[in-house]
Coordinates of all heavy atoms in Angstrom, one line a residue:
M340 N 0.8 -1.1 0.0 CA 0.0 0.0 -0.1 C 0.8 1.3 0.0 O 2.0 1.3 0.6 CB -0.8 0.1 1.2 CG -2.1 -0.9 1.1 SD -3.3 -0.4 2.3 CE -2.4 -0.6 3.9
I341 N 0.5 2.3 -0.7 CA 1.2 3.5 -0.8 C 0.3 4.6 -0.3 O -0.9 4.7 -0.7 CB 1.7 3.7 -2.3 CG1 2.4 2.6 -2.8 CG2 2.5 4.9 -2.3 CD1 2.2 2.3 -4.4
E342 N 0.9 5.4 0.4 CA 0.1 6.6 0.9 C -0.2 7.6 -0.2 O 0.7 7.9 -1.0 CB 0.8 7.3 2.1 CG -0.1 8.3 2.8 CD 0.6 9.1 3.9 OE1 1.6 8.6 4.4 OE2 0.3 10.2 4.2
I343 N -1.4 8.1 -0.2 CA -1.7 9.0 -1.3 C -1.5 10.5 -0.9 O -2.0 10.7 0.3 CB -3.2 8.9 -1.7 CG1 -3.6 7.5 -2.3 CG2 -3.7 10.0 -2.7 CD1 -5.0 7.3 -2.6
T344 N -0.7 11.2 -1.5 CA -0.5 12.6 -1.1 C -1.0 13.5 -2.3 O -1.2 13.0 -3.4 CB 1.0 12.8 -0.9 OG1 1.6 12.8 -2.0 CG2 1.6 12.0 0.2
S345 N -1.3 14.7 -2.0 CA -1.8 15.7 -3.1 C -0.8 15.7 -4.1 O -1.0 15.9 -5.3 CB -2.1 17.0 -2.6 OG -1.0 17.5 -1.7
A346 N 0.6 15.6 -3.9 CA 1.6 15.7 -4.9 C 1.6 14.5 -5.8 O 1.6 14.5 -7.0 CB 3.0 15.9 -4.4
N347 N 1.7 13.3 -5.1 CA 1.8 12.1 -6.0 C 0.5 11.8 -6.7 O 0.6 11.2 -7.9 CB 2.3 10.9 -5.2 CG 1.4 10.3 -4.1 OD1 0.3 10.6 -4.1 ND2 2.0 9.6 -3.2
I348 N -0.7 12.1 -6.2 CA -1.9 11.8 -6.9 C -2.0 12.8 -8.1 O -2.6 12.3 -9.0 CB -3.1 11.8 -6.0 CG1 -4.2 11.0 -6.7 CG2 -3.5 13.1 -5.6 CD1 -4.0 9.5 -6.9
E349 N -1.6 13.9 -8.0 CA -1.7 14.9 -9.1 C -0.9 14.5 -10.3 O -1.3 14.5 -11.4 CB -1.2 16.3 -8.6 CG -1.8 17.4 -9.4 CD -1.2 18.8 -9.0 OE1 -1.4 19.2 -7.8 OE2 -0.5 19.4 -9.8
K350 N 0.3 14.0 -10.0 CA 1.2 13.4 -11.0 C 0.4 12.3 -11.7 O 0.4 12.1 -13.0 CB 2.5 13.0 -10.5 CG 3.6 13.9 -10.5 CD 4.9 13.2 -10.1 CE 5.9 14.1 -9.7 NZ 7.0 13.4 -9.0
A351 N -0.1 11.3 -10.9 CA -0.8 10.2 -11.4 C -2.0 10.5 -12.3 O -2.2 9.9 -13.4 CB -1.1 9.3 -10.3
I352 N -2.7 11.5 -11.8 CA -3.9 12.0 -12.6 C -3.5 12.6 -13.9 O -4.1 12.3 -15.0 CB -4.8 13.0 -11.8 CG1 -5.4 12.2 -10.5 CG2 -5.9 13.6 -12.5 CD1 -6.2 13.1 -9.5
N353 N -2.4 13.3 -13.9 CA -2.0 14.0 -15.2 C -1.6 12.9 -16.1 O -1.8 13.0 -17.4 CB -0.7 14.9 -14.8 CG -1.3 16.2 -14.3 OD1 -2.4 16.6 -14.6 ND2 -0.3 16.9 -13.6
K354 N -0.9 11.8 -15.7 CA -0.4 10.8 -16.5 C -1.6 10.0 -17.1 O -1.7 9.6 -18.2 CB 0.6 9.7 -15.8 CG 1.4 9.1 -16.8 CD 2.5 8.4 -16.1 CE 3.2 7.4 -17.1 NZ 4.0 6.4 -16.4
A355 N -2.7 9.8 -16.2 CA -3.9 9.1 -16.6 C -4.6 9.8 -17.6 O -5.2 9.3 -18.6 CB -4.8 8.9 -15.4
R356 N -4.6 11.2 -17.6 CA -5.3 12.0 -18.7 C -4.6 11.8 -20.1 O -5.2 11.9 -21.0 CB -5.1 13.6 -18.2 CG -6.2 13.9 -17.2 CD -6.3 15.5 -17.1 NE -7.2 15.8 -16.0 CZ -6.8 16.4 -14.9 NH1 -5.6 17.0 -15.0 NH2 -7.7 16.7 -14.0
Q357 N -3.3 11.7 -20.0 CA -2.7 11.4 -21.3 C -2.8 10.0 -21.8 O -3.1 9.8 -23.0 CB -1.1 11.6 -21.2 CG -0.7 13.1 -20.9 CD 0.7 13.1 -20.2 OE1 1.5 12.2 -20.3 NE2 0.9 14.3 -19.6
T358 N -2.8 9.0 -20.9 CA -3.1 7.6 -21.3 C -4.4 7.2 -21.5 O -4.7 6.3 -22.4 CB -2.3 6.7 -20.2 OG1 -1.6 7.5 -19.3 CG2 -1.4 5.7 -20.9
K359 N -5.4 7.9 -20.8 CA -6.8 7.6 -21.0 C -7.2 6.2 -20.7 O -7.8 5.5 -21.7 CB -7.4 8.2 -22.2 CG -7.4 9.7 -22.2 CD -8.0 10.3 -23.5 CE -8.0 11.8 -23.6 NZ -6.7 12.3 -23.7
P360 N -6.8 5.6 -19.7 CA -7.2 4.0 -19.6 C -8.7 3.9 -19.3 O -9.3 4.9 -18.9 CB -6.3 3.6 -18.4 CG -6.0 4.8 -17.6 CD -6.1 6.0 -18.6
L361 N -9.3 2.7 -19.5 CA -10.6 2.5 -19.2 C -10.7 2.0 -17.8 O -10.1 1.1 -17.3 CB -11.1 1.3 -20.2 CG -12.5 1.0 -20.4 CD1 -13.0 2.2 -21.2 CD2 -12.8 -0.3 -21.0
V362 N -11.7 2.6 -17.0 CA -11.8 2.3 -15.6 C -13.3 1.8 -15.4 O -14.1 2.2 -15.9 CB -11.7 3.5 -14.7 CG1 -11.9 3.2 -13.3 CG2 -10.5 4.3 -14.9
K363 N -13.2 0.5 -14.7 CA -14.4 -0.2 -14.4 C -14.5 -0.4 -13.0 O -13.5 -0.8 -12.3 CB -14.4 -1.5 -15.1 CG -15.7 -2.3 -15.3 CD -15.5 -3.6 -16.0 CE -16.3 -4.6 -15.3 NZ -16.0 -5.9 -15.8
V364 N -15.6 -0.1 -12.4 CA -15.8 -0.2 -11.0 C -16.2 -1.7 -10.6 O -17.2 -2.2 -11.2 CB -17.1 0.6 -10.5 CG1 -17.2 0.5 -8.9 CG2 -16.7 2.1 -10.8
L365 N -15.4 -2.3 -9.9 CA -15.7 -3.7 -9.5 C -16.6 -3.7 -8.2 O -17.6 -4.5 -8.2 CB -14.4 -4.5 -9.1 CG -13.4 -4.7 -10.4 CD1 -12.1 -5.3 -9.9 CD2 -14.1 -5.5 -11.4
E366 N -16.2 -2.9 -7.3 CA -17.1 -2.7 -6.1 C -16.5 -1.4 -5.5 O -15.5 -0.9 -5.9 CB -17.1 -3.9 -5.2 CG -15.7 -4.1 -4.7 CD -15.6 -5.4 -3.6 OE1 -16.1 -5.2 -2.5 OE2 -15.2 -6.4 -4.1
F367 N -17.2 -0.9 -4.4 CA -16.6 0.4 -3.8 C -15.3 0.1 -3.3 O -15.0 -0.9 -2.7 CB -17.6 0.6 -2.6 CG -17.2 2.0 -1.9 CD1 -17.1 3.2 -2.6 CD2 -16.9 2.0 -0.6 CE1 -16.8 4.3 -2.1 CE2 -16.5 3.1 0.0 CZ -16.4 4.3 -0.7
R368 N -14.4 0.9 -3.8 CA -12.9 1.0 -3.5 C -12.2 -0.1 -4.3 O -11.0 -0.2 -4.1 CB -12.7 0.6 -2.0 CG -13.1 1.8 -1.2 CD -12.8 1.7 0.3 NE -12.8 3.0 1.0 CZ -13.1 3.1 2.2 NH1 -13.3 2.1 3.0 NH2 -13.3 4.3 2.8
R369 N -12.8 -0.8 -5.3 CA -12.0 -1.7 -6.1 C -12.3 -1.3 -7.6 O -13.4 -1.4 -8.0 CB -12.4 -3.1 -5.8 CG -11.5 -3.8 -4.7 CD -11.8 -5.3 -4.6 NE -11.5 -6.1 -5.6 CZ -12.2 -7.0 -6.2 NH1 -13.4 -7.3 -5.6 NH2 -11.9 -7.7 -7.1
Y370 N -11.3 -1.2 -8.3 CA -11.5 -0.8 -9.8 C -10.6 -1.6 -10.6 O -9.4 -2.0 -10.2 CB -11.0 0.7 -9.9 CG -11.9 1.6 -8.9 CD1 -11.5 1.9 -7.6 CD2 -13.1 2.1 -9.4 CE1 -12.3 2.7 -6.8 CE2 -13.9 2.8 -8.6 CZ -13.5 3.1 -7.3 OH -14.3 3.8 -6.4
Q371 N -11.1 -1.8 -11.9 CA -10.3 -2.4 -12.9 C -9.9 -1.5 -13.9 O -10.7 -0.8 -14.4 CB -11.1 -3.6 -13.5 CG -10.3 -4.6 -14.2 CD -11.1 -5.5 -14.8 OE1 -12.0 -5.3 -15.7 NE2 -11.1 -6.8 -14.4
V372 N -8.6 -1.4 -14.1 CA -8.1 -0.3 -15.1 C -7.4 -1.1 -16.3 O -6.5 -1.9 -16.1 CB -7.0 0.5 -14.5 CG1 -6.5 1.7 -15.4 CG2 -7.7 1.2 -13.1
T373 N -7.9 -0.8 -17.6 CA -7.4 -1.3 -18.7 C -6.7 -0.4 -19.6 O -7.3 0.7 -19.8 CB -8.5 -2.1 -19.5 OG1 -9.3 -3.0 -18.6 CG2 -8.0 -2.8 -20.7
N374 N -5.5 -0.6 -20.0 CA -4.8 0.2 -20.9 C -5.3 -0.3 -22.4 O -5.2 -1.4 -22.9 CB -3.3 -0.2 -20.9 CG -2.4 0.7 -21.9 OD1 -2.8 0.8 -23.0 ND2 -1.4 1.2 -21.4
K375 N -6.0 0.8 -22.9 CA -6.7 0.6 -24.3 C -5.7 0.2 -25.5 O -6.2 -0.4 -26.4 CB -7.5 1.7 -24.6 CG -8.8 1.8 -23.9 CD -9.7 2.9 -24.4 CE -9.8 4.1 -23.4 NZ -10.7 5.2 -23.7
T376 N -4.4 0.6 -25.2 CA -3.4 0.3 -26.3 C -2.9 -1.1 -26.2 O -2.9 -1.8 -27.2 CB -2.3 1.2 -26.2 OG1 -2.9 2.6 -26.1 CG2 -1.4 1.2 -27.5
T377 N -2.5 -1.5 -25.0 CA -1.9 -2.8 -24.7 C -2.9 -3.9 -24.4 O -2.6 -5.1 -24.5 CB -0.8 -2.7 -23.8 OG1 -1.4 -2.4 -22.5 CG2 0.2 -1.8 -24.1
G378 N -4.0 -3.4 -23.9 CA -5.0 -4.4 -23.4 C -4.7 -4.9 -22.0 O -5.4 -5.8 -21.4
A379 N -3.6 -4.5 -21.3 CA -3.2 -4.9 -20.0 C -4.3 -4.3 -19.0 O -4.7 -3.2 -19.1 CB -1.9 -4.4 -19.7
T380 N -4.6 -5.3 -18.1 CA -5.6 -4.9 -17.1 C -5.0 -5.0 -15.7 O -4.3 -6.0 -15.4 CB -6.8 -5.9 -17.3 OG1 -7.4 -5.7 -18.5 CG2 -7.9 -5.6 -16.1
Y381 N -5.3 -4.0 -14.9 CA -4.7 -4.1 -13.5 C -5.9 -3.7 -12.5 O -6.9 -3.2 -12.9 CB -3.7 -2.9 -13.3 CG -2.5 -3.2 -14.3 CD1 -2.4 -2.5 -15.5 CD2 -1.6 -4.2 -14.1 CE1 -1.3 -2.8 -16.4 CE2 -0.5 -4.5 -14.8 CZ -0.4 -3.8 -16.0 OH 0.6 -4.0 -16.9
E382 N -5.6 -4.2 -11.3 CA -6.6 -3.9 -10.1 C -6.1 -2.9 -9.2 O -5.0 -3.1 -8.7 CB -7.1 -5.2 -9.6 CG -8.4 -5.1 -8.9 CD -8.9 -6.4 -8.3 OE1 -8.9 -7.5 -9.1 OE2 -9.2 -6.4 -7.1
V383 N -6.9 -1.9 -9.0 CA -6.6 -0.9 -8.0 C -7.5 -0.9 -6.8 O -8.7 -1.1 -6.9 CB -6.7 0.4 -8.6 CG1 -6.5 1.6 -7.6 CG2 -5.8 0.6 -9.7
K384 N -6.9 -0.9 -5.6 CA -7.7 -0.8 -4.4 C -7.4 0.4 -3.6 O -6.3 0.7 -3.4 CB -7.4 -2.0 -3.5 CG -8.0 -3.4 -3.9 CD -7.8 -4.5 -3.0 CE -7.7 -5.7 -3.7 NZ -7.0 -6.8 -2.9
F385 N -8.5 1.0 -2.9 CA -8.3 2.1 -2.0 C -8.6 1.7 -0.6 O -9.5 0.9 -0.4 CB -9.2 3.3 -2.4 CG -8.7 3.9 -3.7 CD1 -9.5 3.5 -4.9 CD2 -7.7 4.7 -3.9 CE1 -9.1 4.2 -6.2 CE2 -7.3 5.3 -5.1 CZ -8.0 5.0 -6.3
T386 N -7.8 2.3 0.4 CA -8.0 2.0 1.8 C -7.9 3.2 2.5 O -7.1 4.1 2.1 CB -7.0 1.0 2.2 OG1 -6.9 -0.1 1.4 CG2 -7.4 0.4 3.7
K387 N -8.7 3.5 3.6 CA -8.5 4.6 4.3 C -8.3 4.2 5.9 O -9.2 3.4 6.4 CB -9.8 5.4 4.2 CG -9.8 7.0 4.7 CD -11.0 7.6 4.4 CE -11.1 8.9 5.1 NZ -12.4 9.6 4.8
I388 N -7.2 4.6 6.4 CA -6.9 4.2 7.8 C -6.7 5.6 8.6 O -5.7 6.3 8.2 CB -5.6 3.3 7.9 CG1 -5.9 2.0 7.0 CG2 -5.3 2.9 9.3 CD1 -4.7 1.2 6.7
N389 N -7.4 5.8 9.6 CA -7.2 7.0 10.5 C -7.1 8.3 9.5 O -6.2 9.0 9.8 CB -6.0 6.8 11.3 CG -6.3 5.8 12.2 OD1 -7.3 5.5 12.7 ND2 -5.1 5.2 12.7
N390 N -8.1 8.4 8.5 CA -8.1 9.6 7.8 C -6.9 9.7 6.7 O -6.7 10.7 6.1 CB -8.1 10.9 8.6 CG -9.6 11.2 8.9 OD1 -10.6 10.8 8.1 ND2 -9.9 11.8 9.9
T391 N -6.1 8.7 6.7 CA -5.0 8.8 5.7 C -5.4 7.8 4.6 O -5.8 6.7 4.8 CB -3.7 8.2 6.3 OG1 -3.4 9.1 7.4 CG2 -2.5 8.3 5.3
K392 N -5.2 8.1 3.4 CA -5.7 7.4 2.2 C -4.5 6.6 1.6 O -3.5 7.2 1.4 CB -6.4 8.2 1.2 CG -7.7 8.8 1.6 CD -8.2 9.8 0.6 CE -9.4 10.5 1.1 NZ -9.5 11.9 0.5
Y393 N -4.8 5.3 1.3 CA -3.8 4.6 0.7 C -4.3 3.9 -0.6 O -5.6 3.7 -0.7 CB -3.4 3.4 1.7 CG -2.7 3.8 3.0 CD1 -3.5 4.1 4.1 CD2 -1.4 4.0 3.0 CE1 -3.0 4.5 5.3 CE2 -0.8 4.4 4.2 CZ -1.6 4.7 5.3 OH -1.0 5.2 6.5
A394 N -3.5 3.5 -1.5 CA -3.9 2.9 -2.7 C -3.0 1.9 -3.0 O -1.8 1.8 -2.7 CB -3.9 3.8 -3.9
E395 N -3.3 0.8 -3.8 CA -2.5 -0.2 -4.2 C -2.9 -0.7 -5.6 O -4.2 -0.7 -5.8 CB -2.3 -1.4 -3.3 CG -3.5 -2.1 -2.8 CD -3.3 -3.3 -1.9 OE1 -2.5 -4.2 -2.2 OE2 -3.8 -3.2 -0.8
C396 N -1.9 -1.1 -6.4 CA -2.2 -1.5 -7.8 C -1.4 -2.8 -8.0 O -0.3 -2.8 -7.4 CB -1.8 -0.4 -8.7 SG -2.1 -0.9 -10.4
N397 N -1.9 -3.7 -8.7 CA -1.1 -4.9 -8.9 C -0.1 -4.8 -10.1 O 0.3 -5.9 -10.7 CB -2.0 -6.1 -8.9 CG -3.0 -6.1 -10.2 OD1 -3.1 -5.3 -10.9 ND2 -3.7 -7.3 -10.3
C398 N 0.0 -3.6 -10.7 CA 1.1 -3.5 -11.7 C 2.5 -3.4 -11.1 O 2.6 -3.5 -9.9 CB 0.8 -2.2 -12.6 SG 1.2 -0.8 -11.8
K399 N 3.5 -3.2 -11.9 CA 4.9 -3.4 -11.4 C 5.3 -2.1 -10.6 O 6.2 -2.1 -10.0 CB 5.9 -3.7 -12.6 CG 6.0 -5.0 -13.0 CD 7.1 -5.2 -14.1 CE 6.4 -5.3 -15.5 NZ 7.4 -5.3 -16.5
A400 N 4.6 -1.0 -10.9 CA 4.9 0.4 -10.3 C 4.9 0.2 -8.7 O 4.1 -0.5 -8.2 CB 4.1 1.4 -10.8
T401 N 6.0 0.8 -8.1 CA 6.0 0.8 -6.6 C 5.7 2.3 -6.1 O 5.9 2.6 -5.0 CB 7.4 0.5 -6.2 OG1 8.4 1.2 -6.8 CG2 7.6 -1.0 -6.4
V402 N 5.1 3.2 -7.0 CA 4.6 4.5 -6.7 C 3.2 4.5 -6.9 O 2.6 3.6 -7.5 CB 5.5 5.5 -7.5 CG1 6.9 5.5 -7.2 CG2 5.2 5.3 -9.0
I403 N 2.5 5.7 -6.8 CA 1.2 6.0 -7.2 C 1.1 6.1 -8.6 O 1.7 7.0 -9.2 CB 0.5 7.3 -6.5 CG1 0.6 7.1 -5.0 CG2 -0.8 7.6 -7.1 CD1 -0.5 6.1 -4.4
C404 N 0.6 5.0 -9.4 CA 0.8 4.9 -10.8 C -0.4 5.5 -11.4 O -1.4 5.9 -10.8 CB 0.9 3.4 -11.3 SG -0.6 2.5 -10.7
Y405 N -0.5 5.5 -12.7 CA -1.6 6.2 -13.4 C -2.8 5.4 -13.4 O -3.9 6.0 -13.5 CB -1.1 6.6 -14.9 CG -1.2 5.5 -15.9 CD1 -2.3 5.1 -16.6 CD2 -0.1 4.7 -16.1 CE1 -2.2 4.1 -17.5 CE2 0.1 3.7 -16.9 CZ -1.1 3.3 -17.7 OH -1.1 2.4 -18.6
H406 N -2.6 4.2 -13.0 CA -3.9 3.3 -12.8 C -4.6 3.8 -11.6 O -5.9 3.9 -11.7 CB -3.6 1.8 -12.6 CG -2.7 1.3 -13.7 ND1 -1.4 0.8 -13.5 CD2 -2.8 1.1 -15.1 CE1 -0.8 0.4 -14.5 NE2 -1.7 0.6 -15.6
I407 N -4.0 4.2 -10.6 CA -4.5 4.7 -9.4 C -5.1 6.1 -9.7 O -6.2 6.5 -9.3 CB -3.6 4.7 -8.3 CG1 -3.1 3.3 -7.8 CG2 -4.0 5.5 -7.1 CD1 -1.9 3.2 -6.8
G408 N -4.3 7.0 -10.6 CA -4.7 8.2 -10.9 C -6.0 8.2 -11.8 O -7.0 9.0 -11.5
A409 N -6.2 7.2 -12.5 CA -7.3 7.0 -13.4 C -8.6 6.6 -12.5 O -9.7 7.1 -12.8 CB -7.2 6.0 -14.5
S410 N -8.3 5.8 -11.5 CA -9.5 5.3 -10.7 C -10.0 6.2 -9.7 O -11.1 6.3 -9.3 CB -9.0 4.1 -9.8 OG -8.3 3.1 -10.6
I411 N -9.1 7.2 -9.3 CA -9.4 8.1 -8.2 C -10.6 9.0 -8.5 O -11.5 9.3 -7.6 CB -8.3 8.9 -7.6 CG1 -8.6 9.4 -6.1 CG2 -7.8 10.0 -8.5 CD1 -7.6 9.2 -5.2
G412 N -10.7 9.4 -9.8 CA -11.8 10.2 -10.2 C -13.2 9.6 -9.9 O -14.1 10.1 -9.3
A413 N -13.3 8.2 -10.3 CA -14.4 7.5 -10.1 C -14.6 7.3 -8.6 O -15.8 7.3 -8.1 CB -14.4 6.1 -10.8
H414 N -13.6 7.1 -7.9 CA -13.6 6.8 -6.4 C -14.1 8.0 -5.7 O -15.0 7.8 -4.8 CB -12.2 6.4 -5.9 CG -12.3 6.0 -4.6 ND1 -12.9 5.0 -3.9 CD2 -11.7 6.7 -3.4 CE1 -12.8 4.9 -2.7 NE2 -12.0 6.0 -2.3
I415 N -13.7 9.2 -6.1 CA -14.1 10.4 -5.2 C -15.6 10.5 -5.5 O -16.4 10.8 -4.5 CB -13.4 11.6 -5.8 CG1 -11.9 11.5 -5.3 CG2 -14.0 12.9 -5.3 CD1 -11.0 12.5 -5.9
V416 N -16.2 10.4 -6.7 CA -17.6 10.5 -6.9 C -18.4 9.4 -6.1 O -19.4 9.8 -5.5 CB -17.9 10.3 -8.5 CG1 -19.4 10.2 -8.8 CG2 -17.2 11.5 -9.3
L417 N -17.9 8.2 -6.2 CA -18.6 7.1 -5.4 C -18.6 7.3 -4.0 O -19.6 7.1 -3.2 CB -18.0 5.7 -5.7 CG -18.5 5.0 -6.9 CD1 -17.6 3.7 -7.0 CD2 -20.0 4.7 -6.7
A418 N -17.4 7.7 -3.4 CA -17.3 8.0 -2.0 C -18.2 9.1 -1.6 O -18.8 9.1 -0.5 CB -15.8 8.4 -1.6
E419 N -18.3 10.1 -2.3 CA -19.2 11.2 -2.1 C -20.7 10.8 -2.1 O -21.5 11.1 -1.2 CB -19.1 12.4 -3.0 CG -17.9 13.3 -2.7 CD -17.6 14.3 -3.7 OE1 -18.3 14.4 -4.7 OE2 -16.6 15.1 -3.5
Q420 N -21.0 9.8 -2.9 CA -22.3 9.4 -3.0 C -22.6 8.5 -1.7 O -23.8 8.6 -1.2 CB -22.6 8.6 -4.4 CG -22.8 9.4 -5.5 CD -22.8 8.5 -6.8 OE1 -22.5 7.2 -6.7 NE2 -23.0 9.1 -7.9
M421 N -21.8 7.7 -1.4 CA -21.8 6.8 -0.2 C -22.0 7.8 1.1 O -22.8 7.4 1.9 CB -20.6 6.0 0.0 CG -20.3 5.1 -1.0 SD -21.3 3.5 -0.9 CE -20.4 2.8 0.4
H422 N -21.2 8.8 1.2 CA -21.3 9.8 2.3 C -22.7 10.4 2.3 O -23.2 10.5 3.4 CB -20.2 10.8 2.0 CG -20.2 11.7 3.3 ND1 -19.6 11.4 4.5 CD2 -20.6 13.0 3.5 CE1 -19.8 12.4 5.3 NE2 -20.3 13.3 4.7
T423 N -23.2 10.8 1.2 CA -24.5 11.4 1.1 C -25.6 10.4 1.7 O -26.5 10.7 2.3 CB -24.8 11.9 -0.3 OG1 -23.7 12.6 -0.8 CG2 -26.0 12.9 -0.3
A424 N -25.4 9.2 1.1 CA -26.4 8.2 1.4 C -26.4 7.8 2.9 O -27.5 7.6 3.4 CB -26.0 6.9 0.6
T425 N -25.4 7.9 3.6 CA -25.3 7.4 5.0 C -25.5 8.6 6.0 O -25.6 8.5 7.0 CB -23.8 6.7 5.3 OG1 -22.8 7.6 4.9 CG2 -23.8 5.4 4.6
A426 N -25.4 9.9 5.3 CA -25.5 11.1 6.2 C -27.0 11.2 6.7 O -28.0 10.7 6.2 CB -25.2 12.3 5.3
Ligands
ZN718 ZN1 -0.7 0.4 -11.6

């Protein structure tokens, strides 16, 4: 698991904007990201521990990769909906 910071996630989102991978929601906090060029598929998971956000991806990267960057947009929308639903 890698801690998400505003700096590392911003880089990942920028890279995702260039690569434009396909993001599919598997369940809340679990996403499948497909590179449309290579067809490679990876799974991204988000975890929140004591208000610190973490993410992990099963690709080779050991940093916040663009798969995580691509998923977080969908994740933020879903998390907000969940929050609204439970409020
Ligand atoms: Zn990745």
Side-chain angles (χ1 to χ4, degrees):
M340 281 197 305
I341 308 147
E342 188 181 335
I343 297 174
T344 66
S345 49
N347 67 15
I348 199 65
E349 200 184 302
K350 264 192 205 168
I352 290 170
N353 282 338
K354 202 169 170 197
R356 278 199 189 116
Q357 290 159 25
T358 351
K359 295 186 178 65
L361 198 74
V362 180
K363 195 177 137 190
V364 181
L365 296 174
E366 59 180 288
F367 182 57
R368 291 186 169 154
R369 268 183 71 218
Y370 302 89
Q371 192 182 69
V372 183
T373 306
N374 182 314
K375 281 186 250 178
T376 314
T377 64
T380 298
Y381 301 100
E382 200 175 308
V383 174
K384 282 184 213 165
F385 291 102
T386 315
K387 198 175 169 186
I388 303 165
N389 296 331
N390 275 331
T391 304
K392 287 174 197 157
Y393 298 90
E395 59 182 300
C396 177
N397 64 355
C398 75
K399 276 187 266 176
T401 51
V402 295
I403 295 288
C404 60
Y405 77 90
H406 308 116
I407 294 170
S410 311
I411 198 135
H414 180 66
I415 288 167
V416 172
L417 272 181
E419 277 172 3
Q420 283 172 358
M421 297 277 288
H422 183 74
T423 313
T425 53

